[in-house]
Amino acid sequence: MASYVGFLLLLFMVAKAMDVSYDGRAITFDGKRKILFSGSIHYPRSTAEMWPSLIKKAKEGGLDVIETYVFWNAHEPHYRQYDFTGNLDLVRFIKTVQNEGLKAMLRIGPYVCAEWNYGGFPVWLHNIPGIEFRTNNPQFENEMKNFTTLIVDMMNHEKLFASQGGPIILAQIENEYGNIMSSYGDDGKQYVDWCANLAQSYQIGIPWVMCQQDNAPDPMLNSCNGFYCDQFYPNSQNKPKMWTENWTGWFKNWGGQIPHRTAEDVAFAVARFFQFGGTYQNYYMYHGGTNFGRTSGGPYITTSYDYDAPLDEYGNLNQPKWGHLKKLHEVLKSIEDVLVHGHRRDVDYGNMVTATIYNYGGKSACFLGNANNSYDATINFQNNQYNVSAWSVSILPDCQQEAYSTAKVNVQTSVMVKKENEGADNDDESYNLNWHWRYEPFKQMKNGKIHGNVALSAPQLLDQKVVTNGTSDYLWYITSVNVDDNNDNIWTKKDVKLRINTNGHVLHAFVNGKHAGSQYAQNGQYQFSFETDVKLKGGNNEISLLSATVGLPNYGAFFDNVEVGIGGPIHLVTHDESGDEVVKNITQNVWNYKIGLHGENVKHYHIKNTLGWFTTGLPTDRIFTWYKTKFNSPIGNDPVVVDLSGLGKGQAWVNGNNIGRYWPSYLADENGCSPTCDFRGAYTSQKCVTGCGKPTQQWYHVPRSFLNDDDENELVLFEEMGGHPFNVKFSTVTIGKICANAYEGNTLELSCNDDQVISEVKFASFGQPQGQCGSFKKSQCEAPNTLQNLKDQCLGKSSCSVQVSEKSLGSTGCNVEQNRLAVEAVCAAIVSNYAK
């Protein structure tokens, strides 16, 4: 009987296996061509507890596939020591995707870029003798093969490839290598062939992708990454047109402004891609998330990796982007068969205006596109007249009626707010945080020597990566300089300067245990010169230099060899009696290297570490200070954030979990921001920015899974630059108000969070209202009872649906082609006088 049951189980497993193939038109599942919408959700940038909600919202947004990189340095931080626990549980993540009924694309790389520290490579890899990254090099290829095989075997063992009945339909080897391949010459070409052969050797039964790789050898699929990929075509007519990274926004840099990409422009790019034969499109990112710990790359990539994605850093819907794209997915899915099977014909109207007609099985579907960034076109198409806004695509599923325009956003805009912490045991003392503190004891009291064990000594200045192996942002460079103890010695009588050339990114200098000065790289210049006045004494002088990195480089040819740390030369400079400069070059001194900070090494951030903390005399504006405080968990389920305003630069821990680097003292340039953003015209990361003159990141995500069930939590801060913790406060992120400006003929869905209701409708006008959210104005013509109508339909409800039509809202008297409904409403927590 048991063998019979086993036989039936085997038959079931075989039946569930999926044949994934491709041709020149599309990816094919079990013989059926598909257009596929995919979204990047990187598992280490959230928590395992967040994954189900994120993936469910992605599915509700119309996605078919979830894409993720695999992060080598997260999984193998030390040579042959692996970590697949917590938010690094890759198998759990893929199974969560599967449980939601979605497919997966696994981008193994193992180079990932991703604004991730060192591009995803473990730093120990750099220190293997004779290694050269991403080229025809046996040492590198052996290590890459070892890790790639580990991941493939893991997926095979869990039967997660589609050929085994799992959700993974696509895999990727390498990443954007074509962008830099020419720098590696013939070895680069041989490396590409080696990658392709390695991938094919696994025989996993699904296609492999090499993105941004025009010379990807058959049967590897090449694909496009960028803001726009409608003009990309694969290197073979037998391969589908794929877009592996549609950049939904952009990342943030410390000291930079906050970039935004409009919903209209993202939708325009997607619609044009499918207008011109696209079949697979992936949003990078769909949820950006958070660079916890020291995972952000760059240098100078922020802890937040929000990316202005359709799901924000905390997992909230980023409206209107999420909703506008959802409607686009629905329209394109409705014409899927015509797109993947139909004959395509393009009509050029001039001035960058085109029409595209697909015909299949007696059905037609059409696109009207206008890529001019200022000219609104009126065209005659198939004996009908259509208005096509500048920088837009209109989709006509039956080639007659416009069902969707990328320029017309018919979903709400959600204005998110930070609500003050209402902790379970807090009444009104939410921000009366009681702070404990301690100095970073970097020097020993007895002899003034720097704390810590000497990792190595060398008569030269070493690259920071060589010494730390990536285990800390911090490395001490320590040497001694002996000065003759006599009254005529110019080094003790004259002013002395210490000059240091460093590859940074931050430098703190100490002479004989006293702080001599600090400096950090600015404006993208990560090599800089530091000079400060110092006082030498007769006899032995200890010079201690602390170098700090803020994310290792992650992109470019040979990025792995970019030196970080103090590269020199290092000079002591004074003047003799005649005024001539005298230089003492200490570059080739014997330097002792100590890794990390003392408090970091003994884990001051550990919640059980209670000894040695002071409760009085709290210092401020002092470098190298540790702070800690207790706080209660905010009530409810909304995402939790902490405001670190007032602090300088450092790292933060909640209950021992490193929530990332912070740097609120680094302000963005005051110029270049605008309260409005014109979606028309090609997007760049500098086009629509906000946050001028403000900290690049003020709020830091505290996942609820980091908080304790008993409500008492501990926040620990290491302050490197000097600041104060008095402005620190915890808040929750929720919807404050919702706005919309929807076109006639659509259904407008207005929605607050589940624990909120629409408590007030501040504005509603159906006609030709002017302005934008927060400053709407009525026009001379409108339906007279619109405001009361909206109140009747929506007040006291978590959500409501409004038919935007004269039949529903009343006659406007406007002599226009399309009326619009503008709404501004307030979301508030549910109270007794409102029913959900």
Side-chain angles (χ1 to χ4, degrees):
M1 181 66 180
S3 62
Y4 179 70
V5 172
F7 175 72
L8 289 179
L9 180 61
L10 178 61
L11 284 178
F12 176 76
M13 290 172 62
V14 171
K16 292 287 286 183
M18 178 183 296
D19 176 46
V20 182
S21 59
Y22 61 84
D23 57 25
R25 295 297 296 271
I27 302 290
T28 300
F29 298 163
D30 291 330
K32 186 174 182 180
R33 290 173 175 168
K34 295 280 188 180
I35 62 170
L36 294 171
F37 300 105
S38 174
S40 295
I41 299 177
H42 293 162
Y43 55 97
R45 283 176 160 147
S46 55
T47 65
E49 291 76 12
M50 293 173 65
W51 295 342
S53 175
L54 294 174
I55 294 166
K56 182 180 180 181
K57 290 173 182 177
K59 182 179 181 179
E60 291 171 348
L63 297 195
D64 308 290
V65 181
I66 300 298
E67 175 275 334
T68 187
Y69 281 126
V70 180
F71 297 84
W72 187 357
N73 57 5
H75 292 301
E76 193 178 359
H78 306 285
Y79 183 76
R80 300 301 184 263
Q81 297 180 31
Y82 300 107
D83 186 359
F84 289 91
T85 62
N87 70 338
L88 300 179
D89 191 341
L90 176 59
V91 168
R92 179 179 174 182
F93 179 78
I94 298 298
K95 287 184 176 180
T96 306
V97 172
Q98 184 177 30
N99 292 341
E100 197 58 55
L102 298 181
K103 306 304 179 187
M105 178 181 179
L106 193 65
R107 303 176 74 183
I108 300 175
Y111 165 69
V112 299
C113 183
E115 292 72 58
W116 187 267
N117 193 53
Y118 213 39
F121 288 135
V123 177
W124 56 257
L125 196 68
H126 174 79
N127 297 327
I128 293 176
I131 199 166
E132 296 179 48
F133 285 19
R134 304 178 76 195
T135 189
N136 184 29
N137 174 267
Q139 291 90 332
F140 177 77
E141 290 171 346
N142 288 339
E143 291 300 324
M144 175 175 168
K145 180 179 180 180
N146 181 79
F147 181 74
T148 304
T149 303
L150 175 76
I151 299 302
V152 170
D153 287 350
M154 185 181 294
M155 300 300 107
N156 261 323
H157 181 265
E158 298 291 334
K159 301 189 184 310
L160 293 176
F161 292 116
S163 57
Q164 303 170 293
I168 303 172
I169 61 169
L170 294 166
Q172 180 177 300
I173 194 80
E174 247 297 336
N175 186 49
E176 297 186 327
Y177 190 69
N179 293 353
I180 49 94
M181 184 180 68
S182 61
S183 299
Y184 296 86
D186 289 339
D187 281 343
K189 297 176 183 178
Q190 292 180 44
Y191 170 65
V192 168
D193 291 338
W194 177 85
C195 289
N197 291 331
L198 176 67
Q200 289 304 115
S201 72
Y202 294 121
Q203 298 182 353
I204 57 178
I206 61 173
W208 283 88
V209 177
M210 299 182 85
C211 67
Q212 291 291 94
Q213 196 67 51
D214 291 342
N215 68 330
D218 292 339
M220 311 300 288
L221 301 176
N222 67 308
S223 61
C224 179
N225 294 351
F227 292 119
Y228 309 96
C229 282
D230 51 279
Q231 297 306 305
F232 161 81
Y233 290 93
N235 61 12
S236 168
Q237 294 183 351
N238 298 319
K239 298 178 182 180
K241 181 173 179 174
M242 298 178 63
W243 190 359
T244 36
E245 291 188 16
N246 175 3
W247 302 330
T248 55
W250 203 241
F251 54 86
K252 296 190 286 285
N253 293 284
W254 297 118
Q257 296 147 348
I258 301 173
H260 303 274
R261 189 182 181 194
T262 65
E264 295 95 325
D265 184 57
V266 178
F268 168 74
V270 175
R272 275 183 67 85
F273 180 70
F274 285 96
Q275 176 181 355
F276 295 115
T279 181
Y280 177 97
Q281 189 269 165
N282 178 71
Y283 296 106
Y284 186 98
M285 301 292 296
Y286 198 79
H287 169 257
T290 306
N291 292 315
F292 297 114
R294 300 184 301 108
T295 58
S296 60
Y300 280 33
I301 302 296
T302 59
T303 295
S304 170
Y305 198 66
D306 180 86
Y307 218 88
D308 198 25
L311 299 178
D312 72 13
E313 178 180 0
Y314 320 114
N316 299 307
L317 303 186
N318 179 12
Q319 295 279 43
K321 189 172 286 185
W322 182 87
H324 193 43
L325 295 175
K326 175 183 178 179
K327 288 181 177 291
L328 174 58
H329 302 154
E330 291 171 348
V331 171
L332 290 172
K333 281 290 187 178
S334 74
I335 56 176
E336 180 177 50
D337 283 347
V338 180
L339 294 182
V340 298
H341 293 284
H343 170 73
R344 175 182 135 202
R345 179 169 62 92
D346 297 324
V347 179
D348 188 353
Y349 285 86
N351 207 11
M352 306 183 77
V353 179
T354 56
T356 299
I357 304 100
Y358 285 88
N359 294 297
Y360 174 70
K363 296 181 180 179
S364 298
C366 296
F367 297 80
L368 305 179
N370 182 357
N372 192 293
N373 62 14
S374 60
Y375 164 73
D376 293 336
T378 300
I379 63 172
N380 188 289
F381 175 70
Q382 296 189 353
N383 299 318
N384 288 310
Q385 187 168 287
Y386 298 90
N387 296 319
V388 187
S389 300
W391 206 255
S392 77
V393 176
S394 294
I395 303 174
L396 290 59
D398 58 359
C399 288
Q400 295 182 10
Q401 185 72 32
E402 177 188 280
Y404 184 91
S405 168
T406 61
K408 298 175 181 178
V409 178
N410 294 299
V411 298
Q412 74 181 40
T413 294
S414 298
V415 180
M416 309 303 292
V417 296
K418 311 293 192 303
K419 285 180 56 181
E420 295 182 1
N421 178 13
E422 298 174 353
D425 297 325
N426 280 3
D427 294 321
D428 59 354
E429 77 276 19
S430 296
Y431 303 135
N432 293 337
L433 299 173
N434 295 314
W435 289 96
H436 296 197
W437 67 275
R438 68 188 303 161
Y439 295 125
E440 162 59 27
F442 61 91
K443 62 180 180 178
Q444 300 177 35
M445 295 299 293
K446 290 182 178 180
N447 55 21
K449 301 289 186 181
I450 298 299
H451 267 292
N453 298 320
V454 175
L456 60 87
S457 299
Q460 64 185 102
L461 297 169
L462 297 176
D463 186 323
Q464 195 160 333
K465 298 189 298 295
V466 172
V467 185
T468 67
N469 252 348
T471 57
S472 175
D473 282 355
Y474 301 102
L475 178 65
W476 288 100
Y477 294 68
I478 306 165
T479 193
S480 60
V481 177
N482 192 272
V483 175
D484 289 340
D485 192 5
N486 63 69
N487 292 332
D488 295 327
N489 195 309
I490 59 173
W491 295 103
T492 58
K493 293 179 62 178
K494 299 286 186 178
D495 293 334
V496 178
K497 291 188 180 296
L498 175 64
R499 291 178 182 168
I500 304 169
N501 287 287
T502 182
N503 301 311
H505 312 124
V506 181
L507 176 67
H508 303 281
F510 299 82
V511 175
N512 296 323
K514 294 183 178 180
H515 182 226
S518 299
Q519 188 172 328
Y520 60 89
Q522 299 184 64
N523 304 317
Q525 302 300 312
Y526 301 111
Q527 295 180 336
F528 62 89
S529 297
F530 168 86
E531 182 175 298
T532 189
D533 294 326
V534 297
K535 182 71 174 176
L536 299 182
K537 64 182 181 179
N540 199 52
N541 294 266
E542 183 173 86
I543 296 177
S544 305
L545 309 176
L546 182 65
S547 175
T549 55
V550 191
L552 297 180
N554 56 260
Y555 181 76
F558 309 107
F559 78 85
D560 50 293
N561 291 325
V562 174
E563 292 189 355
V564 293
I566 301 171
I570 301 177
H571 294 157
L572 289 166
V573 182
T574 189
H575 294 83
D576 60 21
E577 296 299 335
S578 61
D580 293 333
E581 189 174 82
V582 179
V583 176
K584 185 185 291 290
N585 188 343
I586 61 173
T587 307
Q588 302 300 319
N589 273 30
V590 173
W591 292 88
N592 294 323
Y593 295 88
K594 294 184 179 181
I595 300 171
L597 302 168
H598 176 73
E600 182 182 29
N601 293 330
V602 300
K603 297 182 172 57
H604 282 339
Y605 51 82
H606 199 286
I607 196 167
K608 294 181 180 179
N609 192 328
T610 58
L611 297 176
W613 293 84
F614 299 103
T615 58
T616 59
L618 187 79
T620 60
D621 298 319
R622 183 186 178 103
I623 66 169
F624 293 13
T625 305
W626 291 82
Y627 300 104
K628 76 172 180 178
T629 189
K630 303 283 188 182
F631 68 97
N632 292 327
S633 300
I635 62 174
N637 297 311
D638 291 330
V640 179
V641 291
V642 59
D643 181 357
L644 297 183
S645 298
L647 292 159
K649 173 188 177 293
Q651 294 183 51
W653 292 262
V654 171
N655 296 330
N657 299 286
N658 191 330
I659 64 171
R661 302 182 182 102
Y662 66 81
W663 204 346
S665 63
Y666 200 167
L667 306 183
D669 190 284
E670 294 184 353
N671 301 309
C673 292
S674 172
T676 61
C677 178
D678 188 348
F679 68 84
R680 299 174 300 175
Y683 178 76
T684 71
S685 60
Q686 299 300 313
K687 182 178 179 182
C688 297
V689 294
T690 61
C692 288
K694 298 179 180 179
T696 306
Q697 185 173 353
Q698 175 181 346
W699 300 89
Y700 297 80
H701 185 203
V702 182
R704 286 213 174 248
S705 60
F706 287 3
L707 301 178
N708 293 325
D709 294 335
D710 61 6
D711 281 328
E712 186 172 271
N713 305 278
E714 185 170 82
L715 170 69
V716 177
L717 307 170
F718 169 65
E719 177 52 56
E720 176 187 336
M721 293 288 203
H724 66 81
F726 302 131
N727 296 338
V728 171
K729 60 183 177 182
F730 290 85
S731 297
T732 55
V733 183
T734 190
I735 300 174
K737 67 179 179 181
I738 52 180
C739 295
N741 197 350
Y743 286 80
E744 190 173 8
N746 292 276
T747 300
L748 174 62
E749 304 282 348
L750 297 175
S751 180
C752 300
N753 285 340
D754 290 340
D755 59 351
Q756 295 178 306
V757 294
I758 299 172
S759 61
E760 180 184 2
V761 180
K762 299 182 70 173
F763 181 91
S765 177
F766 179 53
Q768 291 296 297
Q770 304 299 311
Q772 54 190 331
C773 185
S775 60
F776 284 131
K777 295 180 180 179
K778 297 180 179 181
S779 65
Q780 292 182 348
C781 60
E782 68 162 353
N785 297 318
T786 305
L787 180 60
Q788 187 60 48
N789 199 322
L790 265 289
K791 289 181 177 180
D792 292 342
Q793 292 190 60
C794 299
L795 276 181
K797 299 178 181 178
S798 284
S799 62
C800 60
S801 297
V802 180
Q803 299 298 320
V804 185
S805 66
E806 289 190 311
K807 181 179 179 180
S808 173
L809 299 174
S811 176
T812 66
C814 301
N815 185 23
V816 293
E817 181 181 350
Q818 260 188 320
N819 291 298
R820 287 179 289 105
L821 170 64
V823 180
E824 181 181 340
V826 176
C827 292
I830 295 174
V831 291
S832 58
N833 60 320
Y834 283 121
K836 185 176 177 181

